[in-house]
Amino acid sequence: MKISIVQFKSEPGAVEANFATAARLIESARASDVIILPELWSTGYYPTPVEDFADVDGTRTTEFICAAAQRVNANIIGGSVIVSSGGQIFNRCLIANRHGELAAAYDKTHLFSFAKEDEVFRAGDRLATFELDGVRCGAAICYDLRFPEFMRRLALAGAEIIFIPAAWSLKRLVPRQILTKARAIENQVFIVFANSAGKSEVVNPRGEVIAEGGRDAEILTVDIDLNERAAVISTMNLLADRNPHVD
């Protein structure tokens, strides 16, 4: 599976310009099977008041990524965007398959109180797993990475690849690099981390970084082999060996 991370830092509040940038970069990555955008790519992280920038029910973003997916014949993990729905504001990831159909939606579950996300966004309350080209995948957003029980639930739900759009400050780069490796190793999955601030990466189930971006805007492309995951599990099946009955 060929995966392209579209790494770019959006102009804060410049929605039209950011949509144009995303469209151009998606077109440049059209040879890929999966294209992933970063967190809050349409607005930047994050303009206030957020309700002034919210996509009502995610309609515009859904139409955009579904049309783009069909046009370039690729699955698109639509990063995340500010969405208003039912009187609440969410940080939502929308996923389209290569046929231009909405495959899944995920609302960020763990809100970063340090940046006061918990004061403006409503936390999601459910996992998102979905199939892309026959591969079971999971979605998380940025701060979710710090919560091992959440990531484990995605693995237990069958995810082979966990896609994580993010706007993770490079001031906290070292812990993030440790966490992506740890989550990949302990869950025996591929981690695809698409970061607007740079240093995006793809980590294999052995915890090895197989692709890493720089600090500037770029398209980071890597081919992953799901047989590699099967080989790791055949020698040490962590999920099968876990004992969930210990108090």
Side-chain angles (χ1 to χ4, degrees):
M1 177 178 276
K2 181 179 285 188
I3 297 172
S4 284
I5 296 173
V6 174
Q7 176 181 288
F8 73 103
K9 192 164 187 175
S10 304
E11 290 294 325
V15 174
E16 299 305 322
N18 294 331
F19 264 90
T21 298
R24 175 175 54 81
L25 293 173
I26 288 170
E27 185 67 29
S28 297
R30 68 179 301 139
S32 302
D33 296 306
V34 182
I35 300 168
I36 176 171
L37 300 171
E39 182 182 16
L40 299 183
W41 59 267
S42 65
T43 58
Y45 182 91
Y46 55 88
T48 56
V50 292
E51 55 268 24
D52 289 352
F53 299 90
D55 183 358
V56 178
D57 293 325
T59 300
R60 179 180 182 181
T61 305
T62 299
E63 292 175 351
F64 172 78
I65 65 165
C66 287
Q70 189 172 35
R71 184 175 64 253
V72 303
N73 188 32
N75 305 288
I76 297 180
I77 311 294
S80 77
V81 295
I82 300 169
V83 170
S84 62
S85 182
Q88 303 288 341
I89 305 291
F90 299 90
N91 184 342
R92 180 169 296 174
C93 177
L94 297 158
I95 297 105
N97 63 29
R98 65 170 74 242
H99 306 296
E101 302 162 337
L102 188 67
Y106 167 68
D107 293 327
K108 188 174 186 178
T109 302
H110 300 92
L111 301 178
F112 189 35
S113 60
F114 180 79
K116 299 183 179 180
E117 288 183 3
D118 56 323
E119 296 180 13
V120 296
F121 295 105
R122 175 73 177 268
D125 59 4
R126 64 190 64 190
L127 297 177
T129 60
F130 46 93
E131 281 196 9
L132 298 178
D133 297 348
V135 178
R136 176 61 61 178
C137 304
I141 299 175
C142 201
Y143 193 47
D144 287 330
L145 177 68
R146 287 187 179 267
F147 297 86
E149 67 280 9
F150 173 80
M151 301 291 284
R152 173 55 55 87
R153 288 182 65 196
L154 289 171
L156 290 173
E160 300 177 74
I161 308 170
I162 299 177
F163 292 96
I164 310 176
W168 194 295
S169 171
L170 295 187
K171 294 177 182 178
R172 292 180 285 275
L173 176 61
V174 171
R176 193 267 287 168
Q177 291 173 322
I178 293 170
L179 290 168
T180 48
K181 295 181 181 69
R183 300 296 170 257
I185 293 168
E186 67 196 9
N187 294 302
Q188 298 181 307
V189 297
F190 286 90
I191 298 290
V192 178
F193 191 90
N195 195 36
S196 62
K199 304 298 287 184
S200 299
E201 63 181 0
V202 180
V203 183
N204 71 17
R206 293 185 176 88
E208 299 163 340
V209 177
I210 57 175
E212 183 179 42
R215 292 172 180 258
D216 299 321
E218 67 176 296
I219 296 174
L220 178 67
T221 300
V222 63
D223 281 298
I224 67 170
D225 183 357
L226 273 301
N227 291 325
E228 182 179 2
R229 177 175 180 269
V232 170
I233 292 173
S234 71
T235 61
M236 185 187 302
N237 191 330
L238 297 181
L239 296 188
D241 290 344
R242 58 189 284 273
N243 183 351
H245 306 295
V246 179
D247 292 329

